[in-house]
Amino acid sequence: MAAIAGIHLQSVGKIERGLTAKLSSYSKSSLASALQVPVEYLEAVCRGTPIVIQLKFCAPCWTPGTPPDPLWMEVRAK
C-alpha cells in the first residue's frame, strides 16, 4: 500500500500504529486513492466518527463486471 500511495513504508507503519496525529493533504489523498475510498471517509475513520456512504452509479453507463467509475464514488457526486 505504501508503494501504491507513494508514501514511505515507515510512515504507513506509524499511521497504522496510531503514532501519527496529523496527515498532510497529500498523504490523505494518496492513502484514500490507494485504499479506493473517499478522502472524507478516511478522515472520518481517523476521527472515529460514523459516516454513511451511498454508492451512486450511472446504470446506463456501467458495464457489469467492470469496476465503477471513480467519479461515482465521490462523496459529492450526484
Side-chain angles (χ1 to χ4, degrees):
M1 183 174 67
I4 293 170
I7 299 171
H8 196 276
L9 183 60
Q10 289 179 342
S11 297
V12 172
K14 287 180 181 180
I15 294 166
E16 290 175 336
R17 292 188 302 276
L19 301 176
T20 301
K22 190 173 183 181
L23 294 176
S24 68
S25 60
Y26 171 80
S27 295
K28 283 183 206 175
S29 63
S30 297
L31 284 172
S33 177
L35 293 168
Q36 297 182 348
V37 298
V39 174
E40 293 84 358
Y41 176 79
L42 186 62
E43 290 172 340
V45 169
C46 291
R47 288 190 309 264
T49 57
I51 63 165
V52 176
I53 294 181
Q54 297 175 334
L55 176 60
K56 303 170 194 112
F57 70 99
C58 176
C61 301
W62 179 61
T63 304
T66 61
D69 187 307
L71 291 176
W72 299 340
M73 303 295 286
E74 192 64 35
V75 172
R76 294 178 209 89
K78 296 183 180 176

